[in-house]
Amino acid sequence: MIELLKEILEECYKYRKNGTVANYIPELAKADPDDFGMCVVSGDAAICSAGDHGKSFTMQSIVKPIILLLALMDKGEECVRALVGVEATGKPFDAFNYSDQALKCEHINPMINTGAIALCTLICGETYDEKFSRLLALTRKMANNPLLEVDEAVYLSEKATGSKNRALAYMLKAYGMIEDDVEEVLDCYFRACSIKVTSLDLAKIAFVLANKGLNGETDDRIFDKKHAKYINAVLMTCGMYDGSGEFAINVGVPAKSGVGGGIMAVVPGRMGIGIYSPSLDSKGNSFAGIKALELLSKKLDLSIF
Ligand code: GLN
C-alpha cells in the first residue's frame, strides 16, 4: 500500500500547482503549494502514509461533519432536521433560481457554511466556550490524538476578515434560525474551522466514520452507527460542495474537503483517507487531492457504486 500511495503522489505531483491556495482568509495564503501528503488507515487499523503526511493544516470545512455529529449526538435527528436540511441544492425540481423571500431549513444542508453555523447552536454547553471544548474533545477522540489544538493565527485571521460568514449568520438570525448572539456562534465556528490536523488525523477520523462509529484501534464505540449512516450519506451528496456529483462519479465515496487544502474520504467498512495539497480548484476543493483520490479509487476499486 505504501508503494501505491507513493506512486499516486508521484503521478499527481504535476497537479499540485493547478488552482490556487485560498487567500480570502489571509493566513491561509501562507500555505506552501508544494506540500502534498496522504495517509490511509484501513480495516486492521494499519496506517500507510506517503509524501508530506506530517504537515499540519487547518480543518476548515472538514470539521462540518463533526459539528453535525455532535449536534446529532446532543439533540437527536429530529431536532437537527428541524433546523438544517439534507438536500444538495435546496431547490425544487422546476426551479429557475431562488426567488423566495424566506430562508427555511430545507434550503440549507450541514456541509455549507449556513448549515454548519446554525448547527453550532445545537451543541450542548452553557457557554460557547464549553460548546467548542466539547467539539474539540470529540475531534480529538475520533483522531485518537489528545494534542489537537486550534491554530490561533488562522482563527484570528478568519475572525478578523470573515464578513461573508458574518452576513450569512446575521441572515440566519434575521430569519429566526438562530437565537443566540451571532458573534459568539461565529467564534465557535471560526475556532472549529481552525483546528490543526495532519493527513493522519483526517484518515483516523474518516476511519471512525467508515467503521460505523467504532474507534479502529481500541474498538470503543464513539457514537451510534445510525449517526455514521446519516453523516456518510450527507457527505456523499454534499461533502464536496458543487463538485459532489463529479466526485461521486470519479471517486464514489463519501468525502469532505476544506479550503485549508485537506480532504477526508470515508470508504465504508474499508478505510479512512486523509490528503493534503493546498491549491484549490474553482469549487474550493484540493485540486491534486481529488486527482489522487480518483487514482486511488480506480486502483483499489473503492467506489461504492
Ligand atoms: N472557514 C471557512 C469558511 O467559512 C471554511 C470554508 C471551507 O473550508 N470550504 O469560509
Side-chain angles (χ1 to χ4, degrees):
M1 174 74 97
I2 291 186
E3 283 314 308
L4 175 63
L5 297 189
K6 279 188 189 159
E7 234 173 74
I8 288 174
L9 287 188
E10 242 164 64
E11 200 161 333
C12 295
Y13 202 60
K14 58 178 178 281
Y15 298 118
R16 78 200 185 287
K17 284 184 180 157
N18 285 39
T20 42
V21 167
N23 57 15
Y24 74 101
I25 299 172
E27 199 62 26
L28 292 184
K30 295 181 180 165
D32 182 352
D34 275 334
D35 287 342
F36 195 11
M38 186 170 187
C39 188
V40 170
V41 171
S42 51
D44 38 14
I47 296 168
C48 289
S49 312
D52 304 304
H53 56 89
K55 279 272 170 170
S56 47
F57 50 93
T58 51
M59 293 182 86
Q60 299 302 331
S61 284
I62 303 171
V63 78
K64 285 174 176 148
I66 307 180
I67 295 175
L68 170 62
L69 172 62
L70 192 50
L72 285 168
M73 289 166 81
D74 283 353
K75 296 283 167 60
E77 196 175 320
E78 208 176 312
C79 177
V80 165
R81 280 298 290 277
L83 183 62
V84 175
V86 291
E87 303 305 339
T89 71
K91 296 180 189 176
F93 69 88
D94 56 353
F96 289 109
N97 56 31
Y98 282 111
S99 55
D100 272 352
Q101 283 304 301
L103 179 67
K104 298 183 189 150
C105 61
E106 56 262 39
H107 294 148
I108 60 179
N109 73 60
M111 299 303 140
I112 57 171
N113 292 10
T114 35
I117 293 167
L119 286 175
C120 286
T121 66
L122 296 188
I123 295 173
C124 288
E126 293 277 299
T127 61
Y128 272 85
D129 267 351
E130 195 187 331
K131 287 175 198 268
F132 175 72
S133 300
R134 295 186 60 249
L135 182 72
L136 180 61
L138 178 60
T139 311
R140 286 174 172 165
K141 203 166 175 187
M142 290 177 78
N144 211 359
N145 182 356
L147 301 177
L148 292 185
E149 285 296 350
V150 166
D151 182 321
E152 286 293 317
V154 174
Y155 155 63
L156 292 173
S157 180
E158 183 167 16
K159 193 174 164 82
T161 57
S163 306
K164 201 161 185 190
N165 281 324
R166 255 179 205 100
L168 294 173
Y170 276 102
M171 190 176 66
L172 288 168
K173 178 105 174 172
Y175 284 102
M177 295 181 74
I178 60 177
E179 286 173 7
D180 295 347
D181 180 83
V182 169
E183 285 303 327
E184 286 190 42
V185 181
L186 281 172
D187 190 70
C188 175
Y189 172 76
F190 292 147
R191 281 203 272 167
C193 289
S194 301
I195 296 172
K196 206 161 59 172
V197 291
T198 62
S199 328
L200 173 61
D201 296 315
L202 289 188
K204 287 192 177 177
I205 293 169
F207 187 77
V208 182
L209 284 164
N211 204 23
K212 299 182 178 163
L214 292 179
N215 177 315
E217 287 155 75
T218 61
D219 255 359
D220 287 340
R221 176 158 295 287
I222 302 179
F223 53 86
D224 200 300
K225 69 176 179 198
K226 70 180 180 203
H227 297 327
K229 228 176 175 178
Y230 191 108
I231 289 164
N232 290 339
V234 174
L235 290 181
M236 191 72 240
T237 51
C238 313
M240 302 297 284
Y241 302 114
D242 238 10
S244 298
E246 190 84 24
F247 189 86
I249 291 170
N250 294 332
V251 183
V253 300
K256 186 74 207 82
S257 58
V259 291
I263 304 180
M264 163 183 104
V266 177
V267 190
R270 281 179 72 181
M271 61 180 70
I273 305 166
I275 299 200
Y276 175 56
S277 170
S279 285
L280 309 178
D281 65 15
S282 58
K283 313 261 165 90
N285 299 322
S286 167
F287 196 104
I290 288 188
K291 291 285 178 201
L293 280 169
E294 285 176 4
L295 255 176
L296 188 69
S297 176
K298 262 194 207 101
K299 301 243 181 206
L300 298 179
D301 195 18
L302 298 181
S303 173
I304 63 171
F305 300 107

